Amino acid sequence: MTYEQFDSIVRENQQPVILVEGTRDLCESHIETLVEFGKRLATVYPHAIFRTGNAMGSDEAFAKGIKSVDSSRLQYVLPYAGHRQNTIDDTSCQIAVTDMSDETQEKAVCCTSDSSPEYRTMMAKRNTVPKLREKARYILRDTIKVIGAIECALSPATVGIFYVNQDNPMKGGTGHTIRVCGTQGVPVAFQDEWTNWPSLPKM
């Protein structure tokens, strides 16, 4: 995705929702780049909402930059209430999968299975096999970050900014989130694209 394409997508929406996230295995030398990029996005697009899953690594770095501008425009979708609570400002929005209705969760289950068939067994057994219950919540969190939840006033994502493992960008929860973006028609940009956008930090 070019910067011009991203800028057009964000500006044509009254309140765009920008996903900011990626791998937990964030290279220490790149942390400040993500922080500065988050800060720059929040400054350039004051009408945007930024959504994250509050994981360590990329999620936390992007969020740190956004918080330095306006923490009230951060939305945290959490696997359960209280997840890494010490990293969330009081002014930020936070919503947990465990507090959502069965209807919302079932919609997310269907989308999860369609986007990542390897999770179908986990989704089917999540309420009967205890060790799968917690794992499923994390995956459902990733799905809901993209599709939103009407009951929680979470609009679907508009565009996604990702910092990925370049050797295997579709690995784990990050890869699943990217696949959900694909099935939902949400455009995404990886660091090999957004680090080359004009007037934004270089890596």
Side-chain angles (χ1 to χ4, degrees):
M1 185 191 308
T2 66
Y3 176 68
E4 290 74 19
Q5 289 171 326
F6 173 82
D7 184 67
S8 176
I9 291 167
V10 174
R11 292 192 185 279
E12 72 184 13
N13 283 271
Q14 185 174 3
Q15 192 175 62
V17 176
I18 303 175
L19 298 179
V20 283
E21 57 183 277
T23 179
R24 290 177 172 82
D25 299 324
L26 173 61
C27 178
E28 187 173 350
S29 64
H30 293 172
I31 292 174
E32 193 57 32
T33 296
L34 271 66
V35 173
E36 288 301 315
F37 190 79
K39 182 177 180 179
R40 179 66 175 160
L41 286 176
T43 301
V44 172
Y45 302 107
H47 66 305
I49 296 295
F50 298 90
R51 186 174 295 161
T52 176
N54 199 32
M56 292 185 291
S58 302
D59 290 27
E60 189 171 6
F62 281 129
K64 182 178 179 181
I66 294 161
K67 285 193 290 187
S68 72
V69 177
D70 186 358
S71 61
S72 70
R73 289 193 284 132
L74 265 172
Q75 289 181 346
Y76 291 89
V77 180
L78 309 174
Y80 55 86
H83 174 256
R84 303 187 70 235
Q85 192 67 42
N86 63 328
T87 66
I88 303 175
D89 287 5
D90 291 341
T91 57
S92 299
C93 171
Q94 53 178 303
I95 301 168
V97 171
T98 49
D99 292 332
M100 296 179 183
S101 68
D102 291 343
E103 181 180 359
T104 292
Q105 292 189 45
E106 284 302 321
K107 180 180 178 180
V109 165
C110 291
C111 184
T112 296
S113 298
D114 289 343
S115 302
S116 298
E118 64 267 34
Y119 291 133
R120 284 177 180 166
T121 298
M122 178 193 294
M123 292 297 114
K125 296 182 177 180
R126 73 190 190 284
N127 292 325
T128 57
V129 180
K131 70 177 183 179
L132 294 181
R133 184 175 294 117
E134 183 173 357
K135 292 181 179 179
R137 288 171 181 166
Y138 281 85
I139 297 301
L140 291 175
R141 171 201 62 180
D142 293 337
T143 301
I144 292 169
K145 283 185 297 186
V146 180
I147 67 174
I150 295 176
E151 66 170 296
C152 305
L154 286 181
S155 300
T158 307
V159 64
I161 297 292
F162 289 86
Y163 178 92
V164 298
N165 180 326
Q166 291 187 306
D167 292 331
N168 188 3
M170 303 308 289
K171 178 183 178 182
T174 298
H176 168 65
T177 307
I178 294 167
R179 286 191 291 273
V180 177
C181 285
T183 61
Q184 298 299 307
V186 177
V188 301
F190 299 168
Q191 68 266 28
D192 60 342
E193 297 170 308
W194 56 257
T195 52
N196 291 311
W197 289 350
S199 74
L200 293 171
K202 298 288 186 181
M203 185 174 290

